[in-house]
Amino acid sequence: MTYQAEASALVPGLGEDALAASNNAAWTARYGQALMNTFGSPQRVLVRGEGCYVWDADGRRYLDLLGGLAVNSLGHAHPLLVSTVTAQLATLGHVSNFFASAPQIALAERLLDLVGAPGRGTLSSRGRGSNGRVFFTNSGTEANEAAFKIARRTGRPNVVATEGGFHGRTMGALALTGKPAIRQPFEPLPAGVTFVPYGDVEALEKAVDGDTAAVFLEPVQGEGGVVPAPAGYLAAAREITERAGTLLVLDEIQTGIGRCGDWFAHTAEGIVPDVVTVAKGLGGGFPIGACIGLGRAADLLGPGAHGTTFGGNPVAAAAGLAVLHAIERDGLLENVRTVGAHLRAGVLALGHPLVRGVRGRGLLLGIELAAPRAAEVLGAALGAGFIVNAVRPDTIRLAPPLILDTAQADEFLAALPAVLDAVGTAPKETR
Ligand SMILES: *Cc1c(COP(=O)(O)O)cnc(C)c1O
């Protein structure tokens, strides 16, 4: 037996007929017996993806308008990502961080170039302390943990974050998360965090003083319901933090890597933060995150201050290089703007009574409903062959692959009226 045949035989779903005897119901039952119940029952069991489509264990096809939660930047099974990851894995899959690998270094340099690290652009300036440095992680929450530790290393005790903000589920990132329902069950958490209303410049100004190590902000609150910062808010935050000698940490884990139509969502405001965290879209589905420190924030973590076994793994770094390359080569930033605007206009043009508006930027969109029926809309959309997300009881989130084209967007726009009609605006019956 070849290794390929052996792999197909051992991993369910890889072989031609490995799933033939099973289906969504059977796999879902097994899931319920074997997995911790942190996510509730899965909507479907998915077996295969190609471009913007995925297939479930019953053979049904879906247009994926969630993209693995803003992760599958290049869609599913993108040939460049597959080739890059496969080639790197076959060359050098993992080394400890006692050693370096070329993909990791190249990806760090690429990220610094994209974020516009001050003083970059000339080879001779590379590697000097004041420009920028990257710490690689495997996830978003870990990127924020690194940022939190950078904040602690300023010697100042306090951190300011925002109500409705989301920064991750590990204890440090959770302490920064402005959603009491997910934070409070795990208290006590790292101390010194206060929360201010998102978008309120005056409140931020009042909260930040000489004891504030850092302010953590999302350019668009993603998990909070796709809530963009009001125009000028990030610039004001930059001014306030600069004046107080406080680090401005932008959590671009959901908004970065092209999602909002620029490499980073904050670029539109023309500011330079001290720390940027990214993850979700960076690996196109391969787990990788990064904490990017600029200026003095680049040097606050020294030898022994932090670590990771997997972070910056050569395969993950190669995936990141492939994603960034494809976004640039295929003009995906432009595509995000065009298709995002098309989707937004198309949803509004329906004039459906259940749609109150559309929030968001680029291909991170929140369809605001006139009634708290997002769960039902999600169910109806799934039934019609579309994967969306109910980010809030009254908001449907779309975060499709950056390669989504207008024809695919039109498939959704054509189906949406019937999906919304099926739900209706009448008060929900008690269940
Ligand atoms: C998803 C997300 C995180 C957490 O990322 P994980 O990879 O799930 O740990 C943090 N911040 C923001 C803004 C996110 O959207």
Side-chain angles (χ1 to χ4, degrees):
M1 186 148 61
T2 64
Y3 282 120
Q4 201 174 347
E6 198 171 353
S8 296
L10 83 92
V11 180
L14 277 188
E16 283 286 295
D17 54 10
L19 285 177
S22 294
N23 55 30
N24 275 313
W27 281 103
T28 301
R30 285 173 63 178
Y31 178 100
Q33 293 301 310
L35 279 292
M36 284 195 196
N37 189 24
T38 51
F39 301 103
S41 188
Q43 288 158 9
R44 297 287 190 274
V45 176
L46 301 177
V47 296
R48 184 167 80 80
E50 195 182 319
C52 292
Y53 296 94
V54 291
W55 284 259
D56 73 9
D58 291 337
R60 285 207 57 194
R61 189 183 84 154
Y62 302 85
L63 180 63
D64 184 4
L65 295 170
L66 187 56
L69 229 168
V71 165
N72 297 98
S73 327
L74 307 182
H76 299 270
H78 191 286
L80 178 67
L81 186 57
V82 171
S83 300
T84 307
V85 163
T86 310
Q88 184 58 50
L89 185 59
T91 303
L92 185 68
H94 177 81
V95 296
S96 75
N97 279 311
F98 296 118
F99 300 88
S101 72
Q104 167 192 68
I105 298 163
L107 181 61
E109 290 174 349
R110 188 89 177 88
L111 286 170
L112 290 170
D113 285 337
L114 293 176
V115 84
R120 282 197 60 82
T122 57
L123 200 57
S124 61
S125 72
R126 271 187 193 161
R128 282 211 257 112
S130 63
N131 298 327
R133 296 177 185 278
V134 176
F135 182 86
F136 283 117
T137 67
N138 317 287
S139 66
T141 200
E142 288 169 87
N144 284 335
E145 292 292 331
F148 202 164
K149 287 181 84 170
I150 288 174
R152 288 290 199 239
R153 294 296 298 133
T154 62
R156 296 184 179 191
N158 298 332
V159 168
V160 173
T162 61
E163 290 167 10
F166 180 84
H167 299 291
R169 298 287 198 152
T170 52
M171 297 299 254
L174 191 58
L176 304 165
T177 287
K179 294 177 139 191
I182 64 174
R183 194 181 67 240
Q184 282 168 350
F186 299 97
E187 291 175 346
L189 293 166
V193 184
T194 53
F195 295 94
V196 294
Y198 185 67
D200 184 336
V201 174
E202 210 171 300
L204 187 63
E205 186 135 38
K206 275 200 197 118
V208 173
D209 60 26
D211 281 337
T212 312
V215 170
F216 279 74
L217 293 177
E218 295 159 89
V220 178
Q221 285 188 334
E223 301 310 298
V226 191
V227 181
Y233 182 60
L234 295 185
R238 175 69 288 183
E239 224 178 278
I240 291 164
T241 48
E242 187 111 58
R243 221 182 304 135
T246 296
L247 299 176
L248 177 61
V249 180
L250 293 185
D251 180 343
E252 293 245 22
I253 287 162
Q254 189 156 159
T255 55
I257 318 297
R259 172 62 48 195
C260 293
D262 289 300
W263 284 109
F264 299 93
H266 72 265
T267 339
E269 290 237 0
I271 60 160
V272 181
D274 299 292
V275 177
V276 181
T277 54
V278 291
K280 290 194 167 85
L282 176 58
F286 207 91
I288 182 168
C291 175
I292 307 168
L294 304 174
R296 75 182 165 113
D299 297 309
L300 285 169
L301 292 180
H306 200 32
T308 167
T309 298
F310 294 118
N313 169 295
V315 182
L321 286 169
V323 167
L324 297 180
H325 177 75
I327 289 175
E328 184 159 67
R329 183 197 63 188
D330 298 338
L332 295 184
L333 298 181
E334 187 57 37
N335 188 65
V336 166
R337 288 185 220 133
T338 309
V339 179
H342 182 79
L343 259 176
R344 176 195 301 268
V347 171
L348 292 174
L350 299 178
H352 196 279
L354 191 53
V355 175
R356 183 171 280 166
V358 180
R359 295 188 299 264
R361 285 171 55 188
L363 282 177
L364 178 58
L365 295 173
I367 303 174
E368 188 185 343
L369 304 177
R373 313 299 296 275
E376 291 95 325
V377 171
L378 179 155
L382 208 53
F386 299 90
I387 293 178
V388 300
N389 169 247
V391 67
R392 247 166 47 179
D394 67 349
T395 305
I396 291 292
R397 172 172 49 183
L398 308 180
L402 310 185
I403 60 169
L404 188 81
D405 62 30
T406 42
Q408 290 161 339
D410 285 340
E411 282 177 39
F412 176 63
L413 292 171
L416 191 54
V419 166
L420 297 171
D421 286 345
V423 172
T425 51
K428 179 164 53 171
E429 313 228 323
T430 44
R431 292 186 271 186

